[in-house]
C-alpha cells in the first residue's frame, strides 16, 4: 500500500497545502454563518403592525384601558393647525395625556407613539398651510419640534381631504401637489431630528379609500415619504343611496345596496402603484344605527328613514346584542355582520370578531403591513383588539 501522505503532497509542499485548505475552510465558515444569519432574519421578521387611535378631545384618557403590549403604534388624536404651526386646542389635558402615553413604554418599550394632526374636525387649515414652501417648512419645523419636546416617535397626518371639501374646509386644486410637498418637508425634518437623537422617527397618514381621494392626491409619489398609509376602510357610502348597506364590507354584497368594498379599495391603491407593505387596513371599532321605514319586514334591501347615530362595539355588544331584542345576522358574501330589530325597525351595521377574521386573512394574503383601528375607547374590554392580536400572529 502506498503512503497516503506522500500522494497528497506530491507536487505541492506541505505548507502550501495547509494554507490553501485553511483558506477554503474559512470561506465555508463565512458562507455557513451568512446563510444561517439570513435564515434567522427571515424567521424573525417584524410582526404586522397594529396601530390604534386614541381620542384625547374628550378629556383625560383612561390609561388603564390601554394594553400597550397588544399594539405596535398608538396615534393620539388630534392636534390642530394654527398660524401654520401645530397647535393643541385642549393643551391642558392633551399634555397630560401625551406624558401618560409615554409611560406605557414601561410595559412595551417598542411601542411607537405618534401625534395625529387634523381629522374630520381640524382639517380646515391644511390647504392654507401647505400652499407655499415657507408655510410648509414653518409647519414642519413646529411639528418636528413638538415630537422632540414630548418625546414622541413621529407624526400622523390626517388631512380630510386634499382638494376636497370634507367638512366644508378650505380646499384648492393645488392641494394635490402641495400634499406631496408637505409630506416631503415633514419627512426631511423628521430624518434630521432622528439622526441627531439617534432614533428612527415615523411619518404616516390616514387616507380615504375613495377614487376621489386618489384623483386629488399623488399617492404614487407621496408614498416615498411615508412609513405607513392607514386606509380608513370604513364609513363607505351606500351606492345607490337610500337603502340599507354595510359600513365596511370586505367584498361587494349580493343582498345589500353597496357597490363599495374594501377589496375594491385596496385593488384601486395597488393599481396606482402603492406598495402593499406600506398599506395598513383600517377597521372600525364602532357601528352605525339606522331607522328603517316601518313597512320593512327585514333589513335586507330596506329603505332607510333616518340615521340614529353611532355606538362603540362595547355598547353594541352590551346594550343591543345582549338585550335579546336584536337579531344577529351575517352577510357571508360581504363578510359583514349586522343587527336588525323587527320591533322598532332599527338596522345596525358594525364590526365583530367574525368579520375581523376575514379582513385579517385578506390583508395577510395581500402582503399589507397590518391593521389600524378607530378608536380605542369603543372596545373598552379589548375583545376586538384581542382578536386582531390572535389573527396577526
Amino acid at each position: 500500500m502506498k503512503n497516503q501522505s506522500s500522494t497528497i503532497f506530491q507536487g505541492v509542499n506541505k505548507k502550501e497545502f495547509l494554507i490553501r485548505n485553511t483558506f477554503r475552510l474559512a470561506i465555508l465558515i463565512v458562507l455557513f454563518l451568512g446563510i444561517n444569519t439570513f435564515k434567522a432574519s427571515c424567521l424573525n421578521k417584524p410582526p404586522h403592525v397594529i396601530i390604534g387611535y386614541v381620542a384625547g378631545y374628550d378629556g383625560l384618557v383612561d390609561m388603564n384601558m390601554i394594553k400597550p403590549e397588544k399594539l405596535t403604534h398608538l396615534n393620539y388624536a388630534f392636534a390642530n393647525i394654527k398660524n401654520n404651526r401645530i397647535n393643541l386646542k385642549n393643551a391642558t389635558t392633551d399634555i397630560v395625556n401625551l406624558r401618560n402615553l409615554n409611560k406605557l413604554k414601561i410595559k412595551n418599550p417598542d411601542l411607537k407613539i405618534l401625534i395625529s394632526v387634523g381629522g374630520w374636525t381640524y382639517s380646515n387649515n391644511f390647504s392654507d398651510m401647505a400652499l407655499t414652501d415657507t408655510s410648509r417648512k414653518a409647519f414642519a419645523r413646529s411639528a418636528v419640534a413638538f415630537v422632540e419636546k414630548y418625546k414622541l416617535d413621529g407624526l400622523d397626518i390626517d388631512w380630510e381631504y386634499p382638494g376636497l371639501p370634507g367638512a366644508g374646509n378650505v380646499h384648492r386644486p393645488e392641494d394635490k401637489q402641495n400634499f406631496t410637498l408637505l409630506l416631503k418637508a415633514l419627512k426631511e425634518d423628521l430624518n434630521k431630528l432622528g439622526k441627531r437623537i439617534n432614533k428612527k422617527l415615523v411619518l404616516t397618514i390616514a387616507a380615504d379609500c375613495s377614487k376621489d381621494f386618489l384623483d386629488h392626491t399623488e399617492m404614487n409619489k407621496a408614498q416615498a415619504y411615508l412609513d405607513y398609509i392607514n386606509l380608513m376602510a370604513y364609513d363607505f357610502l351606500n351606492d345607490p343611496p337610500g337603502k340599507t348597506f354595510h359600513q365596511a364590507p370586505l367584498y361587494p354584497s349580493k343582498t345589500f345596496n353597496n357597490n363599495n368594498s374594501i377589496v375594491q379599495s385596496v385593488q384601486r391603491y395597488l393599481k396606482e402603484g402603492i406598495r402593499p407593505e406600506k398599506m395598513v387596513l383600517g377597521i372600525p371599532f364602532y357601528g352605525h344605527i339606522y331607522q328603517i321605514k316601518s313597512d320593512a319586514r327585514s333589513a335586507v334591501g330596506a329603505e332607510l328613514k333616518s340615521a340614529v347615530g353611532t355606538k362603540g362595539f362595547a355598547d353594541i355588544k352590551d346594550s343591543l346584542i345582549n338585550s335579546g331584542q336584536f337579531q344577529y345576522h351575517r352577510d357571508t358574501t360581504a363578510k359583514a355582520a349586522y343587527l336588525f330589530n323587527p320591533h322598532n325597525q332599527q338596522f345596525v351595521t358594525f364590526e365583530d370578531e367574525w368579520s375581523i377574521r376575514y379582513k385579517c386573512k385578506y390583508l395577510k394574503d395581500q402582503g399589507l403591513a397590518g391593521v389600524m383601528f378607530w378608536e380605542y375607547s369603543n372596545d373598552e374590554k379589548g375583545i376586538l383588539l384581542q382578536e386582531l392580536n390572535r389573527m396577526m400572529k
Side-chain angles (χ1 to χ4, degrees):
M1 184 180 290
K2 289 185 179 181
N3 186 299
Q4 289 184 344
S5 61
S6 64
T7 304
I8 291 171
F9 293 113
Q10 187 173 4
V12 180
N13 67 52
K14 189 173 182 180
K15 184 176 180 181
E16 185 179 349
F17 173 80
L18 290 172
I19 290 171
R20 286 181 183 178
N21 281 276
T22 301
F23 180 70
R24 287 170 184 155
L25 180 61
I27 291 174
L28 289 172
I29 290 171
V30 170
L31 287 172
F32 176 80
L33 291 174
I35 290 168
N36 281 277
T37 300
F38 176 75
K39 285 181 179 178
S41 66
C42 290
L43 291 172
N44 295 308
K45 290 189 298 185
H48 289 85
V49 297
I50 299 179
I51 302 173
Y53 279 85
V54 60
Y57 43 75
D58 288 330
L60 292 176
V61 175
D62 179 9
M63 296 296 158
N64 294 321
M65 165 189 69
I66 300 174
K67 307 300 179 192
E69 68 278 6
K70 297 183 184 297
L71 302 163
T72 60
H73 299 70
L74 195 57
N75 294 351
Y76 183 74
F78 288 105
N80 198 358
I81 300 168
K82 185 177 180 181
N83 299 325
N84 298 330
R85 271 73 170 174
I86 193 169
N87 175 260
L88 293 177
K89 196 143 189 177
N90 306 299
T92 303
T93 52
D94 285 335
I95 291 170
V96 174
N97 283 334
L98 288 169
R99 287 172 179 164
N100 287 336
L101 287 175
N102 258 322
K103 293 177 184 177
L104 296 174
K105 292 186 177 183
I106 296 172
K107 291 184 178 179
N108 180 7
D110 294 326
L111 178 66
K112 308 297 182 189
I113 298 173
L114 285 69
I115 182 70
S116 185
V117 185
W120 186 252
T121 305
Y122 294 159
S123 286
N124 189 51
N125 295 321
F126 269 111
S127 184
D128 288 342
M129 175 271 289
L131 188 57
T132 70
D133 186 57
T134 301
S135 56
R136 287 190 297 267
K137 287 182 176 179
F139 175 76
R141 283 194 299 269
S142 74
V144 173
F146 186 97
V147 167
E148 183 176 20
K149 180 177 180 179
Y150 294 104
K151 298 179 172 60
L152 304 179
D153 300 285
L155 293 161
D156 175 64
I157 300 300
D158 189 359
W159 182 349
E160 301 186 19
Y161 305 100
L164 296 165
N169 299 323
V170 174
H171 61 288
R172 45 175 65 89
E174 301 96 307
D175 291 346
K176 183 170 186 172
Q177 292 76 30
N178 292 340
F179 183 46
T180 308
L181 294 172
L182 171 63
L183 297 177
K184 181 176 184 288
L186 288 166
K187 189 63 173 178
E188 287 174 352
D189 278 10
L190 281 171
N191 286 344
K192 288 176 186 175
L193 173 60
K195 187 175 181 181
R196 180 160 57 82
I197 64 176
N198 193 28
K199 181 178 180 180
K200 171 71 169 70
L201 297 174
V202 181
L203 180 62
T204 69
I205 63 166
D208 190 55
C209 284
S210 69
K211 183 178 182 298
D212 262 357
F213 181 85
L214 288 173
D215 287 344
H216 288 82
T217 56
E218 301 175 306
M219 288 307 302
N220 193 295
K221 293 181 180 178
Q223 67 176 324
Y225 309 111
L226 297 169
D227 293 279
Y228 299 114
I229 299 166
N230 299 325
L231 295 177
M232 295 185 283
Y234 37 76
D235 294 343
F236 286 105
L237 297 176
N238 51 331
D239 181 21
K243 293 190 177 182
T244 49
F245 63 101
H246 299 304
Q247 71 160 340
L250 179 57
Y251 300 102
S253 175
K254 289 182 179 178
T255 53
F256 281 77
N257 291 301
N258 195 337
N259 294 328
N260 297 311
S261 71
I262 289 169
V263 167
Q264 289 166 312
S265 300
V266 170
Q267 292 305 312
R268 194 179 292 129
Y269 265 78
L270 292 174
K271 286 178 182 177
E272 286 286 322
I274 310 304
R275 290 161 50 188
E277 66 270 19
K278 293 208 170 190
M279 294 164 58
V280 177
L281 187 63
I283 292 178
F285 276 14
Y286 61 92
H288 291 281
I289 306 173
Y290 293 95
Q291 193 70 45
I292 295 174
K293 290 189 175 178
S294 58
D295 57 350
R297 295 187 178 182
S298 74
V300 179
E303 291 190 30
L304 297 176
K305 181 180 179 182
S306 62
V308 177
T310 61
K311 269 187 181 293
F313 172 78
D315 281 346
I316 290 173
K317 194 169 184 67
D318 292 343
S319 64
L320 302 185
I321 296 176
N322 294 340
S323 72
Q325 297 176 8
F326 284 79
Q327 301 166 354
Y328 173 83
H329 297 275
R330 290 173 176 173
D331 184 333
T332 55
T333 307
K335 306 304 181 192
Y338 64 97
L339 304 176
F340 176 59
N341 185 331
H343 304 294
N344 66 6
Q345 300 291 290
Q346 285 189 349
F347 165 75
V348 184
T349 170
F350 74 110
E351 198 81 32
D352 70 352
E353 305 98 307
W354 172 77
S355 59
I356 277 177
R357 288 176 205 133
Y358 286 97
K359 289 180 179 178
C360 289
K361 183 180 184 305
Y362 172 76
L363 75 88
K364 289 166 81 172
D365 289 344
Q366 294 296 312
L368 306 191
V371 293
M372 169 273 285
F373 61 86
W374 177 272
E375 178 268 338
Y376 208 115
S377 65
N378 290 324
D379 182 36
E380 293 173 325
K381 297 177 182 177
I383 294 171
L384 298 183
L385 181 56
Q386 180 63 31
E387 191 62 28
L388 288 178
N389 272 257
R390 190 180 74 83
M391 289 300 299
M392 287 294 97
K393 289 180 180 177

